[in-house]
Amino acid sequence: MEAQAAIVLLVVFFFLLFMKVPISFSIIASGLLTIIMFLNPQFGMFISAQKLATGIDSFSLLAVPFFILAGTLMSNGGIARRIIDLALLFLGKVPGSLALTNIAGNAIFGSLSGSGIAAATAIGGVIHPLEKEQGYDEGFAAATNVATAPVGQLIPPTNAFIVYSAAAGGTSVAALLMAGWIPGLLWAALCAVVAFIYSARHGYVVKRREKLTAKEVLSTVWKAIPSLLLIVIVIGGILSGIFSPTEASGIAVIYAFILAFFVYKSIKLQDMGKVLVEAGTMTTIVMLIIGASQVLSFVLSFTGLPQAISSLLLSLSHNKIVILLIINLILLIVGTFMDMAPALMIFTPIFLPVVKAVGMDAIQFGVMIVMNLAIGTVTPPVGSVLFVGSSVAKLKVEKVIKNLIPYFVAMVAALLLITLFPAISEWLPKAAGLL
């Protein structure tokens, strides 16, 4: 019965996806149909409704709408230009300084906004005209923007680890947030090496008309500091025990509001309606997926699909590295056609028992799965960040993909390092006393 239920679940789910049914409804419909066919129609309706409600009835999940609202305020708050000016100030006349500024800007802005798409749009939209003016190849410039826009999914504050924690059964959010720092910076650093080598070969150096004065330097730093303080406040508050990750999300909203309204004055009161609708829409999508995934989790528990997959993978090889490479390959493929939140909710309960069986900690796996799915956002055929970044640069996707190849090598290299060396993910949480 378990095998038949699993087949029905998978066939219905992927058929609905193929028919372009929204993923949350695909999850609910496939789970409900499986329950009705193999258990009881009345029970199926009852348990589905119950799981939808209880799936989002969690204090820790309050962080999701708050971080989304904080990110929306920061995205609309005019901070992209200030971050770019700061990064360019330090990089100066280094070969490829504009490309390296793009990478640094994406890492900072992506973490503040919690969105690779927002980073690709805000940072890429400002930096691309400057690169074009300085004679950069447009395909290379766009590829740099696309390849590093999702880095913020790993660098806190980020919603990805909150969703993973819910899917993993309550893994420490604070430990996950700390675990993402070094992997995120590693991704950015390896891409920066690619950009530097390419730029050095092509002579991409910023031609400044005049030397900046000390006053201009101090002004640039001063304008960027308030934005960067959000990361310090959130992470510092969590680590010091002043507030929990959920409370930190509320603090982030208050700080982002003050910054956008009173410091930068880039958002007016009449703009708040648009900001709230944007954040509310995004929150609804994420929370519906989380609730729907609880229906799926119930179905998985009685079909025995996670155990079956675990047994299959462990039967293929007794070598830990081989099993982890197979899981990485599957997740990379999944990331090409599925968004971060639903993929985390669906595949975390399937693969977490497998990686635990081969000795991988849930914290390291959380970083690994988030990075896999983040890479998927820049990979065709779906690749949301890829298409947005190409649109920002006004280029065909094909031209951007060609220039993305060396960046793909860098991203996969970072992923392999994170997979094979636990210390990359676990050192900071251990140093902070969270593991």
Side-chain angles (χ1 to χ4, degrees):
M1 188 271 283
E2 289 83 358
Q4 292 172 322
I7 290 171
V8 170
L9 176 69
L10 294 173
V11 169
V12 174
F13 175 69
F14 284 107
F15 173 75
L16 292 174
L17 279 185
F18 178 76
M19 296 300 293
K20 299 184 186 279
V21 175
I23 193 160
S24 53
F25 297 116
S26 298
I27 294 170
I28 296 169
S30 58
L32 177 60
L33 183 60
T34 305
I35 296 171
I36 289 173
M37 288 183 66
F38 293 93
L39 293 178
N40 179 283
Q42 290 77 19
F43 177 73
M45 295 298 293
F46 169 77
I47 199 67
S48 297
Q50 183 192 57
K51 293 295 181 182
L52 272 170
T54 58
I56 58 175
D57 185 16
S58 168
F59 179 75
S60 62
L61 287 178
L62 278 174
V64 173
F66 282 127
F67 273 133
I68 287 175
L69 178 55
T72 306
L73 285 167
M74 297 298 279
S75 296
N76 290 277
I79 68 170
R81 182 74 221 198
R82 293 170 176 86
I83 291 172
I84 288 171
D85 288 343
L86 178 67
L88 192 55
L89 176 68
F90 285 101
L91 291 166
K93 293 188 177 182
V94 174
S97 56
L98 287 175
L100 298 175
T101 297
N102 195 164
I103 294 171
N106 278 342
I108 298 169
F109 190 85
S111 67
L112 293 174
S113 66
S115 168
I117 292 175
T121 304
I123 301 297
V126 175
I127 204 79
H128 189 79
L130 298 177
E131 290 175 310
K132 188 176 179 181
E133 180 184 319
Q134 294 289 333
Y136 281 61
D137 177 79
E138 290 192 74
F140 161 73
T144 304
N145 184 42
V146 168
T148 55
V151 168
Q153 298 287 341
L154 289 166
I155 300 174
T158 171
N159 274 322
F161 289 132
I162 298 170
V163 176
Y164 169 79
S165 174
T171 304
S172 169
V173 174
L176 287 165
L177 291 174
M178 290 304 295
W181 271 105
I182 295 177
L185 294 175
L186 177 63
W187 178 345
L190 292 181
C191 286
V193 171
V194 172
F196 177 82
I197 293 172
Y198 184 95
S199 300
R201 288 179 177 176
H202 291 79
Y204 294 152
V205 179
V206 173
K207 308 173 187 66
R208 282 183 172 155
R209 294 178 182 176
E210 53 187 23
K211 189 176 180 180
L212 293 175
T213 65
K215 182 179 179 181
E216 289 171 327
V217 170
L218 290 173
S219 174
T220 300
V221 174
W222 180 253
K223 287 177 181 178
I225 284 176
S227 300
L228 301 179
L229 276 178
L230 176 63
I231 299 175
V232 177
I233 291 170
V234 170
I235 300 303
I238 293 172
L239 292 179
S240 63
I242 296 174
F243 39 73
S244 68
T246 304
E247 292 164 341
S249 65
I251 299 295
V253 170
I254 295 171
Y255 184 81
F257 179 84
I258 293 171
L259 199 63
F261 271 80
F262 301 109
V263 179
Y264 292 150
K265 299 180 181 178
S266 52
I267 294 180
K268 295 181 173 60
L269 194 59
Q270 56 263 37
D271 299 326
M272 274 305 295
K274 177 186 173 185
V275 170
L276 290 172
V277 167
E278 184 180 338
T281 302
M282 197 178 305
T283 298
T284 302
I285 294 170
V286 173
M287 297 304 280
L288 181 58
I289 288 169
I290 292 173
S293 71
Q294 296 306 306
V295 179
L296 180 64
S297 295
F298 174 80
V299 177
L300 290 175
S301 67
F302 84 77
T303 60
L305 187 59
Q307 292 80 2
I309 292 175
S310 177
S311 299
L312 175 62
L313 287 173
L314 293 173
S315 68
L316 292 176
S317 174
H318 295 293
N319 188 306
K320 174 183 177 179
I321 294 175
V322 172
I323 292 172
L324 293 178
L325 290 177
I326 292 172
I327 293 174
N328 272 318
L329 181 60
I330 294 171
L331 290 173
L332 283 172
I333 294 171
V334 166
T336 64
F337 65 87
M338 191 175 290
D339 288 334
M340 178 78 72
L344 284 173
M345 297 305 296
I346 293 171
F347 290 95
T348 296
I350 290 176
F351 288 127
L352 187 56
V354 182
V355 299
K356 282 186 174 180
V358 298
M360 177 180 276
D361 187 83
I363 298 295
Q364 184 188 1
F365 178 65
V367 175
M368 189 182 93
I369 190 172
V370 167
M371 185 166 187
N372 268 290
L373 299 174
I375 291 173
T377 64
V378 304
T379 309
V382 178
S384 54
V385 175
L386 169 62
F387 285 95
V388 168
S390 301
S391 176
V392 168
K394 299 178 182 178
L395 295 174
K396 291 183 178 179
V397 172
E398 294 81 1
K399 184 172 182 180
V400 178
I401 291 175
K402 180 181 176 182
N403 288 273
L404 268 174
I405 293 173
Y407 286 114
F408 279 129
V409 174
M411 287 185 277
V412 171
L415 177 60
L416 290 176
L417 289 171
I418 290 162
T419 301
L420 299 176
F421 299 100
I424 295 176
S425 303
E426 297 176 5
W427 182 79
L428 269 182
K430 286 180 179 177
L434 299 171
L435 278 182

